[in-house]
Amino acid sequence: MAALGETTPPRSQLGTLLRLRGKLTLRQFSRERGRIIGAIVVVLVFGPMIVGAAFGTAVGYRTLEGQWPTALLGAVMVGMWLIWLVFPIIATSINESADITHLLIFPISRRDLVLSTLLGTFFDYPTYLMLPLFIAVFIGFGFTSAFPIVILAILFSYGHMVLIGQFITVTIGGILQSRRFRDVAIVFFSLIGSSCYFINLAFQRGVERFTDSLSLQEEEAFAETFAGWQPLNILQWFPTGAPARAVQQALDGSWGTAVLWLLYSAVLLAVLTWIWFQLLNRLATGGGFLIGGRPQAEKEKRVAQQTGRRSLLDLLPDDLAALVGKELRSVWRIPQRRVGLVQGLLLPVFMMGPFLYSADFSGGISAIPRWFGLTLPLYALFLFWSTSQNMLAWEGRGLPALLLTPQPRWRLFWAKGLVFLLIAGIPYLIVSGAATAILRDWLTVVGMVTGLGMGITTMAVTAVGSVLFPIPINLEAKRTRGAYQSGGNFKTGCATVTVIPISTAVVNLPAAALLGLAFFLNLPWLGFVGAVFSLVYGFGILYGGSRLAGNLLLEREPELVATMKLPEE
Amino acid sequence: MTSWAVETRGLTRQFDKKIAVDNLDLTVATGEFFGFLGPNGAGKSTTINMLVGLLRPTSGTALIDGIDMWHEPLAAKARIGVLPEGMQLYQRLTAREYIRFSGTMYGVPKAEVEQRTEELLDLLTLTDDADKLIVDYSHGMRKKTALAAAVIHAPRVLFLDEPFEGIDAISGRIIRDVLSRLREHGTTIFFSSHILEVVERLCTRVAVIANGRLVAQGSMEELRHQAETGDETTLEELFLRAVGASSDLEAEGRLSWLR
């Protein structure tokens, strides 16, 4: 039997490390079924795109002439490297086992750590999304005299790509792991995602304007300049552009220069690996990430100190003011809710975008159809529904704390109703008010007021729905990727798309019927009566809905707390 | 007749086939400092969650100050303060905002809320970080925030689930002082803890639960008497005996490879 401390670590732990990596990769799918669906979606969406891109580039490598095949090779390699560079920023980790800081407490050699990191990427499915593009490179250049250089170029490029992800992680990991970064990233990527249509539209218009502005001679001169362009002269200085230059030189028969370019890439790889390892050691010995997160306290201190000032909330009873204040802070401080707020403001632009893009305004505002006022209640319905749906789930981990208090439950919903009225009502009144000011039509005025009443009514339905069909939301996801991860089940999912919309339609029927009648019979007085009725009716239904939701909540608080727990809690 | 601050009758909770708490009869007199002990998974947190209204019992009753938690939940909740397991707090509020919010929810007048919040922040050494979001807090700071929110309304009964877990010595001392002060002013304290020295030092009575069943209950003297041991027997020894656990590794020949 060995005495304490006498054990000798095995010569190589690479096999153990790779087995660990494989096991953790499988476990993350077996523990979180959502990940399987996510992976399938990624493969189904990106798979065909990448196979298509690989096919296109393979054809390009073989059929393009002059400098273009190797220029394309350089662009592909650098493009892939850039994707790996930003990948940790978008998704801080694909796989828990990819974070090798967990391993630094063990006596593992540097060689094993580096090799397991590189080889471990074969357990990440995005790696296989790169494979078609590498196969395309081989098809394009592998069957030439440059074969050995091509193989080395692919290997070096792959090494650079894997390394850069790790390098970014250990360099700015402090920022990537900070709550502020996650908050900003969630807002940024959500808004970018929802703005794709407009970015595409702006790009299309820009290209159209550029090409329209060119004369025939200018077009010819542009084509001539483009034909002589040597993009590889720039790309070659990137770590993965150098191997592309090496391939080009080998194809030209300049083997010495080709080897030199590969050497350049290899030196960069070695230097980066060394720096990466130093940073890793620094991390392991308590030195922290090279660049950490920015201290958060200052701004929050300013915000928090403002809470002591007198405000409009003082007009409300203390408990209601506290509930409203908490809800308002939550709307502003939880990034997902902030995104919802901004998207609500942008919604009319999204809805009107195609119309504005193709509309002919030569006839002035008369080009806008008379029935436009009827669309305002639809906007209100969507805005109030999207703002207030699943309202209890936004309490997040604070829900049990709220339910431990003796506060009458209907007041919780009443307070939420007031906040949603504010945050959905203001953008609604701005947009519909602007439409009313432009159109100066009784139907638009009536549509605006009726819409507001219908929006208020909708909140009563969503209040009850949030108790009966709650869907938990992960407000503190550690990764930006998981920021919208939520639970729920088949029943809640079905109810969200059936029971709640149908109930909303039913309770809004009286107000909608009066508006429709006023339009078809062209009776402004009926429209105005209907608009006033809609407001009174809306507040009445909201009050009744809050009471009902409060009673339902009191009956099922423990079950609701259990439902709201996310799998990882 | 003794007035019970906390009383359970046949309290039971079953999760699928597992009975987490089995027919629990427990009484805690007003003003007591009551320790609720048990090994991991014994049913301590399940019991506390049923007592405070966060987990519905399968059967049995839970009374707070004579009020049935499951028939008059709001009246019962108005009498208690809770530091729950996992400290479910609003992550995007600051400590100051959260403590104020809690006080207002329990109906403490506004001026009082302001004054008590500042006093609690100061006492729990949170003032310097009071305007940081809770999501950025350490475990100890969260625990102190949760405690402040649980006591701001001077509850009649205070439930604490593992208040000293993950707490440094200084914070632990402060929390102990706060609890002693509350008890002096009549608050009944019902708390679970793994730190038996603290329980021994603070509690007037102790109950031990194992596998969902109450296996011992009484003051230290009563427990010693029940266990037929001498006055020197520590709570740890009494506890281990009550739950039928052993710690004599050498006698059992375990870890024999450690030489």
Side-chain angles (χ1 to χ4, degrees):
Chain A
M1 185 177 294
L4 289 177
E6 266 188 18
T7 55
T8 314
R11 191 179 283 177
S12 171
Q13 286 134 320
L14 189 59
T16 313
L17 292 174
L18 291 177
R19 273 195 297 279
L20 171 77
R21 185 88 185 244
K23 198 179 285 182
L24 288 174
T25 304
L26 284 177
R27 292 264 163 86
Q28 66 176 345
F29 288 112
S30 59
R31 298 277 299 179
E32 280 183 60
R33 291 193 182 156
R35 282 204 178 216
I36 301 176
I37 297 166
I40 292 170
V41 169
V42 167
V43 170
L44 287 179
V45 172
F46 290 102
M49 283 167 62
I50 287 168
V51 169
F55 180 77
T57 52
V59 171
Y61 296 144
R62 295 192 75 94
T63 58
L64 287 172
E65 290 175 358
Q67 80 277 27
W68 292 111
T70 46
L72 178 63
L73 174 66
V76 169
M77 292 296 197
V78 172
M80 285 163 76
W81 181 79
L82 288 174
I83 288 171
W84 275 87
L85 186 127
V86 297
F87 195 70
I89 299 169
I90 298 169
T92 49
S93 82
I94 271 286
N95 183 332
E96 185 193 3
S97 60
D99 182 0
I100 63 170
T101 53
H102 293 309
L103 298 171
L104 296 172
I105 55 165
F106 301 113
I108 301 171
S109 70
R110 292 179 180 205
R111 186 196 67 130
D112 283 354
L113 266 184
V114 172
L115 278 177
S116 71
T117 303
L118 290 175
L119 296 175
T121 55
F122 287 113
F123 291 100
D124 295 333
Y125 63 88
T127 303
Y128 296 95
L129 293 175
M130 299 196 310
L131 200 63
L133 291 165
F134 282 130
I135 292 172
V137 173
F138 190 78
I139 292 170
F141 303 100
F143 302 104
T144 63
S145 56
F147 171 79
I149 299 289
V150 172
I151 294 294
L152 287 174
I154 290 174
L155 287 176
F156 283 11
S157 298
Y158 181 70
H160 271 297
M161 287 170 203
V162 173
L163 183 68
I164 197 67
Q166 288 289 334
F167 188 80
I168 291 293
T169 304
V170 295
T171 308
I172 59 167
I175 294 173
L176 297 179
Q177 287 176 3
S178 71
R179 176 184 55 77
R180 176 57 58 90
F181 172 78
R182 285 204 309 275
D183 290 0
V184 171
I186 288 166
V187 174
F188 178 75
F189 288 117
S190 303
L191 292 181
I192 285 285
S194 55
S195 310
C196 275
Y197 170 74
F198 289 100
I199 293 168
N200 181 37
L201 212 64
F203 181 73
Q204 201 180 324
R205 281 230 157 159
V207 171
E208 274 172 21
R209 280 191 187 155
F210 177 70
T211 49
D212 289 349
S213 67
L214 291 179
S215 66
L216 198 60
Q217 288 84 354
E218 283 172 327
E219 270 182 35
E220 281 171 6
F222 179 76
E224 204 170 307
T225 311
F226 187 74
W229 188 39
Q230 298 281 346
L232 207 53
N233 287 350
I234 300 164
L235 296 172
Q236 67 190 3
W237 300 110
F238 285 88
T240 51
R245 173 61 86 189
V247 171
Q248 182 260 322
Q249 290 291 319
L251 288 172
D252 288 350
S254 308
W255 290 91
T257 325
V259 170
L260 277 178
W261 279 109
L262 274 185
L263 208 59
Y264 165 69
S265 182
V267 168
L268 279 182
L269 191 60
V271 170
L272 274 174
T273 306
W274 184 82
I275 298 173
W276 166 67
F277 207 85
Q278 296 311 310
L279 292 173
L280 206 60
N281 275 341
R282 172 193 157 103
L283 194 62
T285 50
F289 295 102
L290 188 64
I291 305 168
R294 195 162 52 84
Q296 313 297 325
E298 287 310 308
K299 188 179 172 192
E300 278 143 15
K301 200 168 184 173
R302 284 204 306 278
V303 174
Q305 280 169 348
Q306 288 167 6
T307 56
R309 293 182 193 164
R310 290 191 66 77
S311 69
L312 283 174
L313 292 180
D314 293 339
L315 298 172
L316 297 170
D318 286 352
D319 61 336
L320 212 53
L323 287 165
V324 168
K326 173 191 72 66
E327 193 71 25
L328 283 172
R329 287 184 196 110
S330 151
V331 169
W332 185 246
R333 291 181 191 167
I334 296 175
Q336 294 96 323
R337 298 193 81 175
R338 208 187 297 185
V339 169
L341 194 65
V342 177
Q343 281 175 338
L345 284 166
L346 293 176
L347 183 71
V349 186
F350 293 158
M351 286 167 74
M352 300 300 289
F355 173 71
L356 295 172
Y357 185 64
S358 56
D360 176 13
F361 287 101
S362 53
I365 57 165
S366 61
I368 300 172
R370 187 172 165 265
W371 49 261
F372 181 80
L374 295 178
T375 64
L376 292 176
L378 289 176
Y379 171 45
L381 281 178
F382 188 81
L383 196 56
F384 279 84
W385 171 79
S386 63
T387 310
S388 65
Q389 62 135 345
N390 200 23
M391 61 175 79
L392 271 180
W394 292 110
E395 296 293 328
R397 300 191 68 183
L399 181 65
L402 188 65
L403 299 184
L404 281 169
T405 69
Q407 192 60 215
R409 299 320 190 219
W410 70 271
R411 287 177 84 80
L412 310 182
F413 293 100
W414 193 239
K416 283 178 185 290
L418 289 178
V419 172
F420 297 141
L421 180 61
L422 193 73
I423 62 177
I426 288 176
Y428 173 70
L429 288 177
I430 291 171
V431 172
S432 56
T436 308
I438 295 167
L439 293 172
R440 295 169 188 275
D441 173 19
W442 70 265
L443 191 62
T444 319
V445 178
V446 166
M448 176 177 79
V449 180
T450 306
L452 188 62
M454 289 168 76
I456 295 166
T457 309
T458 303
M459 293 191 297
V461 178
T462 51
V464 175
S466 75
V467 181
L468 294 178
F469 311 110
I471 302 175
I473 304 169
N474 188 356
L475 300 181
E476 300 302 334
K478 295 290 178 205
R479 292 165 283 119
T480 56
R481 234 160 37 95
Y484 287 94
Q485 179 196 351
S486 63
N489 54 33
F490 186 70
K491 190 186 103 183
T492 53
C494 287
T496 305
V497 294
T498 54
V499 179
I500 293 175
I502 291 169
S503 307
T504 306
V506 169
V507 292
N508 277 307
L509 209 56
L514 285 175
L515 179 65
L517 272 178
F519 171 70
F520 286 115
L521 302 176
N522 199 18
L523 293 174
W525 68 267
L526 183 62
F528 283 107
V529 168
V532 173
F533 165 78
S534 156
L535 278 181
V536 176
Y537 176 76
F539 276 111
I541 292 285
L542 178 61
Y543 181 74
S546 298
R547 286 273 181 186
L548 176 61
N551 290 338
L552 289 170
L553 176 61
L554 206 54
E555 283 171 14
R556 57 193 72 197
E557 285 179 1
E559 290 76 16
L560 204 73
V561 169
T563 307
M564 291 298 189
K565 274 190 179 168
L566 287 159
E568 65 264 38
E569 285 188 81
Chain B
M1 187 180 147
T2 314
S3 67
W4 303 119
V6 180
E7 185 181 1
T8 70
R9 292 183 205 138
L11 198 65
T12 303
R13 175 68 204 202
Q14 189 166 351
F15 294 104
D16 295 325
K17 287 181 181 170
K18 181 178 166 52
I19 299 174
V21 174
D22 190 5
N23 209 23
L24 189 73
D25 291 324
L26 199 69
T27 48
V28 181
T30 302
E32 266 189 339
F33 204 130
F34 188 80
F36 194 47
L37 311 178
N40 290 335
K44 299 186 298 294
S45 295
T46 304
T47 304
I48 290 181
N49 281 340
M50 287 192 284
L51 287 170
V52 303
L54 286 179
L55 183 69
R56 194 183 302 283
T58 308
S59 61
T61 49
L63 305 174
I64 306 292
D65 248 2
I67 299 169
D68 191 326
M69 173 57 81
W70 294 97
H71 282 121
E72 294 175 78
L74 298 187
K77 284 177 182 180
R79 286 163 165 76
I80 64 172
V82 186
L83 191 157
E85 184 193 29
M87 300 172 295
Q88 289 108 338
L89 308 172
Y90 284 103
Q91 306 286 304
R92 304 279 169 152
L93 291 186
T94 66
R96 179 174 275 125
E97 289 167 350
Y98 181 67
I99 298 165
R100 277 182 189 157
F101 173 74
S102 179
T104 312
M105 289 296 99
Y106 283 100
V108 180
K110 200 171 181 180
E112 276 282 294
V113 167
E114 297 291 326
Q115 187 207 323
R116 292 185 193 182
T117 300
E118 295 310 315
E119 203 172 326
L120 283 165
L121 286 170
D122 184 45
L123 185 67
L124 293 164
T125 62
L126 285 168
T127 307
D128 288 346
D129 298 303
D131 297 313
K132 273 164 80 175
L133 297 189
I134 291 170
V135 69
D136 295 326
Y137 273 15
S138 68
H139 179 81
M141 288 161 76
R142 284 174 199 223
K143 194 145 260 183
K144 288 192 281 186
T145 305
L147 179 69
V151 303
I152 189 168
H153 57 297
R156 296 168 71 98
V157 185
L158 180 61
F159 289 93
L160 306 160
D161 200 347
E162 297 289 355
F164 298 102
E165 190 188 38
I167 287 287
D168 64 52
I170 301 166
S171 301
R173 175 66 185 264
I174 294 169
I175 291 176
R176 278 204 307 276
D177 291 347
V178 171
L179 297 183
S180 298
R181 190 74 190 273
L182 279 163
R183 202 201 147 212
E184 283 166 25
H185 287 78
T187 296
T188 306
I189 297 173
F190 184 110
F191 91 126
S192 76
S193 178
H194 287 298
I195 306 171
L196 299 179
E197 293 84 354
V198 176
V199 177
E200 192 167 3
R201 197 183 316 162
L202 295 176
C203 293
T204 49
R205 275 178 75 235
V206 172
V208 182
I209 184 174
N211 295 319
R213 287 170 178 268
L214 199 63
V215 292
Q217 185 177 194
S219 63
M220 280 297 292
E221 288 72 30
E222 286 168 343
L223 290 181
R224 283 186 190 115
H225 180 71
Q226 285 167 25
E228 296 174 352
T229 58
D231 288 349
E232 298 302 310
T233 315
T234 64
L235 180 60
E236 183 180 331
E237 286 161 337
L238 290 169
F239 172 76
L240 291 174
R241 188 176 289 207
V243 301
S246 164
S247 64
D248 197 346
L249 296 176
E250 194 141 3
E252 292 169 6
R254 294 182 184 178
L255 299 184
S256 57
W257 43 268
L258 273 176
R259 288 184 187 170

